[in-house]
Amino acid sequence: MSILRVALDLPLPRVFDYGCDEATPSDVGRRVLVPFGNKHAVGVIVGLADVSEVEAGKLKAALRVLRDAPALGRDWLELAQFCSSYYHRPLGEVIFNGLPRRLREARAIAAPEDAAFCRLSASGRGALARLPARAAVQRALLQRLLQGDCAETGLLERNPGARKALARLCDAGWIERYRLSTPLRYGHFVERLPLNTGQQQVLRQIAAAGTGYQVFLLHGITGSGKTEIYLRLIASALAAGKQALVLVPEINLTPRLTQEFAERFPEAPLVTLHSGLADGERVHHWLQAQSGAAGIVLGTRLAVFAPMPRLALIVVDEEQDASFKQQEGLRYSARDVAIFRARQAGIPIVLGSATPALETYARALSGRYRLLQLSQRAVPQAQLPLVQTVDMRRHKLEDGLAPPVIEALAERLRRGEQSLVFLNRRGYAPVLMCPACDWVSGCKRCSARMVLHLADRQLRCHHCGANSPIPRHCPNCGNADIHPFGRGTQRLEATLAARFPQARVLRVDRDSTRNKGSFSRMLGEIQAGRTDILVGTQILAKGHDFPNLTLVAVLNADSALYSADYRAPERLFAQLVQVAGRAGRAGLPGEVLIQTQYPRHPLYLALAQHDYPGYARTLLAEREQAGFPPYVFEAVLRAEAKELRTALAFLREAAAQAGAPPPGISLYDPVPMTVTRLAERERAQLLLQSASRKALQAYLSAWSAKLQALPQRAVRWHLDVDPIEF
Ligand code: ADP
Ligand code: ZN
Ligand code: ZN
């Protein structure tokens, strides 16, 4: 009998031994069903052993090795082990964080099929003429196949309704599905445009570095054609019969990218991995990655854990994006894990951005990463937008808008061009107030305000999601005359509609795009020119092309300039570059107007000069002086409890356990978090810093073992390594 070392999805820093007669070394990496307490649990076998520390009489037997899905490879387990030790989380938790839900269950998985391809049948060739115009999705699929055969995955990525439409067309006999016996034809790549000299140079530099491990930072201004670089690199990986992994911040917000990939690689099966997929689909895509059938895996941060046996390239687009960092459970940075993965696999990784994270940029400047630059817009006549500030101290605002902004909007309406008014605050107004007694609508569960949502007649907390009806009178003094204060996107939408009655105003934010498919429908409306003024949050800032959009007006950006969070200006700069990049991408020149109280602030000056490198150096100098990342490495210990003092007491005890830190490591006093109360829990944290990542890691390892042993007394705690939010 052998002993199985089994990782379970438990917050305990250990693996569990089980006896098993049927297991062989090839079962390492497989799932196994085991008894745990009085239940059954699915675990993953991370090793076999001859002896166990558990007394023979007490060793339980595993129930069944689950062999329906292939075993996770040794390199995958090694990656999990790395995350476990770097983020100081139990191996089981890391493994189960990476697995799709269906693999966390014991239910059998249907064996993955070979990738399917689609072609038009003889009758399907004439079908287009017979389909009514309203069958738009079916028509689009047929049109695509008229150009040639295509991987089924590629067709399905084109449209949310594509699966149903494809089934109909197959039933009608117009489309035939077929399977290719291996080897797959990965190679065919649709070359759409000749590369410009900048792009050629970048590709030459990457090629010259060979196929081994190397981190590249592709710093390219918005619209410089970074996607084309990714596509070419992927094409050569596929041509060599290898796989490529592409990580993007939010796939639902960038349908264009998925479509572009599917169109340019019609034969290479592409799968997506993100949290919006149904469980069945997600595990199917995962298994295609694992079998090597999927040439390209395109996904959000969780895709960094996709098993890919023939991985030859990783691309991380918008590498600075905060969504790459998971903010709960295993608090990993997908970008950093991707870099580890590239080193482990001995392959190149390309980090792309118009505004790299300062950590990344500093490493590129120091030569640890190779810096590649694209400094021109790729479309020949496209220019960078003209960025100007509007001094709010010199203008009287009308409904929150300065006259020059109103005039610019009117001008766009006259010319039949589109405008975007950017306001990163959804809802009608950020707070409801009573002028008589100064009551404000606070959340009962959080130290935050309830936002007024007029559209669904509610007050809503954006931190914990709590809802309550809008009071008719002040709950404090009974005054009936209570007012919304400040403005959110809903109010702005109403204001603009009233001021420009002839304009078609469309609001795009998390509230208006909550229903499935509504975001892509709105994008369609915008691209078809059926809107004049867009009101949007950052959801609109990401890589969309709106050829007729020539004006971006930015409201209320100032609050980030003097924030307590040292990362706030870096984020604001990145965000404004992204929104500004929406203006004037085709032939029409773009204009960006920023309403501000601080028109001479270095951030706005740099933005107007399109000078990321200059501003980055300024921020880096400030960080160096203040002793912030990237000049130090950080970790925080957070605790939450019913009462703040319990959380603080826990942190003080934790600090006492740690003892005096060795030289080179700073341990700060526990402090309440910025949003102290969240969903009825009060939160505090303790910061550690060190100029040496290695020293910090060694210290954290020893410390977290002691923390495990501390009595917990109604406190929940966790370590966050390389935190980005405080
Ligand atoms: P980025 O990701 O750098 O912001 P994109 O990759 O979206 O930029 O490219 C911006 C636009 O430039 C796209 O419309 C793309 O089709 C176009 N483009 C890219 N490369 C070229 C090229 N070599 N010649 C002409 N147009 C190009
Ligand atoms: Zn709340
Ligand atoms: Zn009152």
Side-chain angles (χ1 to χ4, degrees), residues 339-408:
I339 292 171
F340 174 81
R341 208 173 160 178
R343 191 169 58 195
Q344 178 196 29
I347 57 169
I349 175 168
V350 179
L351 311 177
S353 178
T355 50
L358 288 180
E359 283 86 348
T360 308
Y361 195 59
R363 277 175 211 152
L365 291 179
S366 76
R368 275 188 56 198
Y369 298 168
R370 194 155 311 174
L371 182 60
L372 308 166
Q373 278 169 306
L374 287 176
S375 45
Q376 303 287 324
R377 283 203 154 176
V379 173
Q381 65 276 34
Q383 289 162 8
L384 282 169
L386 177 67
V387 179
Q388 288 175 307
T389 49
V390 177
D391 189 345
M392 293 206 295
R393 297 165 309 182
R394 301 197 2 222
H395 295 282
K396 194 166 166 318
L397 298 192
E398 298 172 31
D399 297 323
L401 299 171
V405 170
I406 295 170
E407 179 41 39

Side-chain angles (χ1 to χ4, degrees), residues 434 437 474 477:
C434 169
C437 74
C474 170
C477 73

Side-chain angles (χ1 to χ4, degrees), residues 601-623:
H601 191 283
L603 188 149
Y604 296 136
L605 295 179
L607 200 67
Q609 305 287 321
H610 304 288
D611 185 15
Y612 167 84
Y615 192 54
R617 281 176 197 272
T618 306
L619 288 180
L620 282 171
E622 285 172 16
R623 298 264 188 103

Side-chain angles (χ1 to χ4, degrees), residues 443-448 450 461-466 677-679:
C443 176
K444 291 193 178 64
R445 313 175 68 217
C446 309
S447 41
M450 297 286 266
C461 174
H462 287 185
H463 291 272
C464 74
R677 218 168 114 78
L678 181 80

